[in-house]
Amino acid sequence: MERAVEHGVADATRSPAADPRCEAARAALVGSARDYSGTPYRGASSDRSCAILKHPLNLKKGFQVSNPIRVAVLGFWHVHAAEYAARVREHPDTELVAVWDDDLARGQAAADAAGVPFAHDLDALLARDDLDAVTVTTATMEHHAIMLRVIQAGKHIFTEKLLAPTVAEAEEVIAAADNASLVLVVSLPRLYNGYAQAIVEQLDEQRLGDLTYCRIRLSHDGAVAGWLPERFYDPAVAVGGALSDLGCHPVYLTQLFLGAAPATVSATYASFTKRQVEDQAVVTLEYPDGVIGVVETGFVSNNPFSIEMHGTRASLAYDSTRNQLKTLDAGEDTWKSLSVPGNDIDAFSQWVSRIQDGTRADDNLTRAVELTRLVSAANTAAAKGATVRYGMSTA
């Protein structure tokens, strides 16, 4: 049996030492985090770290943005950058005004494709009065430094996950945005899909009985089909492989369904293509009540996204190819189909509304920090070849 070790990697779980409001807040137990609509989300953390506390400031104070909100895309390192640019162009309340990238050729090509100017100088771009906000799709390793510069310039941020490579850096970015009364939202898109809402309803009404097992798999074939850029396999820049990128989605969904605080984490990483980072991964979470959660991801198979759950009364399965959710009662042989509601407001639209309303994305930021925490724990477990005891406190 593998020896269990404490999860305490340097910089991965420590809290920022600044902001005295954090220290005062640690004494109070945080209630369930809430989403943008005010509805409690299943799995909300009760961690006392400052990053997940509702900021006491009224974010409406000092808010001045143009109509439409003028946005620049920072970085075309990530494969979703073009989608972000398109989303800015499509939304009725936003306008794409510029593109920046540290790779001049890549940035110029992206700007030309989007039909907007390419900004060579990031500081000059951020200093512009005709810029209100940015989307961040740079390399993950650059998130922390880039976002702190953006916040210093007074611009709102919508960013690709992970928010930052470490919990400490993620909390620092959140605290800086709060102190500057700026809206920060992390793209965690599957939280707002209809199937996720339907599954949460099943769990909240205990239709499966006591949950015993949950498995979520999301993968694509980018590493074997050759369409995923080679930069995604650079461990220093990408901050990990399949789990730190695609695997984030089944991680935060597992946290939504089972909770943000497992008792232990174990992980198996493999590189089928013999690159420097894992191109497939399996992470196993043991929860204090005996429930097991399994996260599967990879870049080497194009199999459908799937969710399966089992409880003492019934089982549940989600088939993404048909957008079909079904349950099987214990002792029965026939699966029953459940209706899947339409998707809720997407994360980008929530960000725009929050900029307009001057409100904070409490639940989104909580989940962004806990996503980083669990990915960090899985990376530690895989590197050590040992089960990690998962401590939520960062005090």
Side-chain angles (χ1 to χ4, degrees):
M1 181 177 294
E2 293 177 333
R3 179 177 59 88
V5 298
E6 296 294 335
H7 175 45
V9 179
D11 294 330
T13 56
R14 71 171 187 272
S15 300
D19 204 335
R21 286 176 294 118
C22 293
E23 299 306 318
R26 292 183 201 284
L29 181 64
V30 181
S32 294
R34 293 178 179 273
D35 70 1
Y36 66 94
S37 67
T39 304
Y41 257 142
R42 183 181 184 86
S45 172
S46 60
D47 181 32
R48 293 179 173 83
S49 71
C50 184
I52 70 169
L53 296 179
K54 185 172 182 178
H55 196 261
L57 296 181
N58 179 0
L59 295 185
K60 292 182 180 180
K61 182 179 180 181
F63 263 51
Q64 291 185 352
V65 294
S66 60
N67 185 18
I69 298 166
R70 294 163 298 195
V71 182
V73 175
L74 303 189
F76 271 73
W77 182 91
H78 203 282
V79 294
H80 291 314
E83 297 175 25
Y84 282 44
R87 191 72 184 95
V88 175
R89 292 196 306 269
E90 294 165 358
H91 196 286
D93 295 330
T94 56
E95 176 186 1
L96 183 63
V97 298
V99 163
W100 172 87
D101 197 299
D102 58 1
D103 184 312
L104 299 185
R106 184 174 63 201
Q108 186 65 64
D112 291 344
V116 296
F118 173 63
H120 296 263
D121 187 322
L122 178 58
D123 290 328
L125 172 63
L126 295 177
R128 286 170 47 172
D129 292 333
D130 65 341
L131 181 68
D132 304 305
V134 303
T135 63
V136 176
T137 37
T138 64
T140 307
M141 179 55 72
E142 298 173 357
H143 278 195
H144 174 257
I146 291 289
M147 283 190 270
L148 290 182
R149 290 169 69 180
V150 172
I151 292 167
Q152 180 67 29
K155 314 300 182 184
H156 306 286
I157 300 173
F158 183 78
T159 180
E160 179 60 75
K161 46 64 181 160
L162 291 167
L163 173 57
T166 69
V167 171
E169 289 172 325
E171 290 181 330
E172 184 180 2
V173 169
I174 291 172
D178 285 343
N179 289 334
S181 294
L182 295 169
V183 175
L184 170 65
V185 170
V186 183
S187 181
L188 307 174
R190 293 172 186 262
L191 288 176
Y192 315 113
N193 286 354
Y195 61 79
Q197 303 170 49
I199 292 173
V200 166
E201 180 181 351
Q202 293 289 309
L203 296 176
D204 284 347
E205 297 184 5
Q206 296 187 317
R207 293 175 185 171
L208 305 185
D210 294 329
L211 199 63
T212 59
Y213 181 86
C214 172
R215 171 185 168 272
I216 305 178
R217 179 174 180 82
L218 179 63
S219 64
H220 61 58
D221 62 356
V224 291
W227 59 262
L228 190 66
E230 201 64 30
R231 57 185 178 267
F232 273 71
Y233 311 110
D234 184 337
V237 177
V239 192
L243 187 75
S244 297
D245 180 59
L246 190 64
C248 287
H249 300 293
V251 166
Y252 65 68
L253 284 174
T254 300
Q255 291 177 312
L256 174 67
F257 301 144
L258 302 186
T264 65
V265 179
S266 59
T268 299
Y269 290 0
S271 180
F272 178 82
T273 59
K274 308 306 178 187
R275 289 179 166 96
Q276 294 185 66
V277 296
E278 82 279 1
D279 54 28
Q280 52 182 336
V282 177
V283 178
T284 303
L285 311 174
E286 177 204 355
Y287 282 81
D289 55 2
V291 180
I292 289 178
V294 178
V295 170
E296 298 181 9
T297 192
F299 296 156
V300 295
S301 62
N302 192 27
N303 52 289
F305 167 62
S306 62
I307 300 173
E308 67 170 287
M309 291 183 180
H310 302 281
T312 55
R313 294 180 186 170
S315 296
L316 175 150
Y318 175 70
D319 176 5
S320 61
T321 61
R322 301 177 182 178
N323 192 30
Q324 182 181 60
L325 188 64
K326 57 185 181 179
T327 59
L328 178 66
D329 291 338
E332 300 290 331
D333 297 323
T334 304
W335 288 85
K336 300 176 183 178
S337 294
L338 300 175
S339 62
V340 178
N343 295 341
D344 213 330
I345 301 173
D346 65 275
F348 182 87
S349 295
Q350 292 180 41
W351 176 60
V352 172
S353 295
R354 288 191 177 282
I355 292 174
Q356 295 168 328
D357 298 341
T359 56
R360 186 180 188 273
D362 296 330
D363 182 82
N364 176 272
L365 296 178
T366 299
R367 295 189 181 283
V369 172
E370 298 311 326
L371 169 61
T372 300
R373 195 188 310 275
L374 203 152
V375 169
S376 175
N379 289 341
T380 300
K384 290 181 174 292
T387 299
V388 166
R389 300 190 187 281
Y390 192 80
M392 294 300 298
S393 175
T394 60

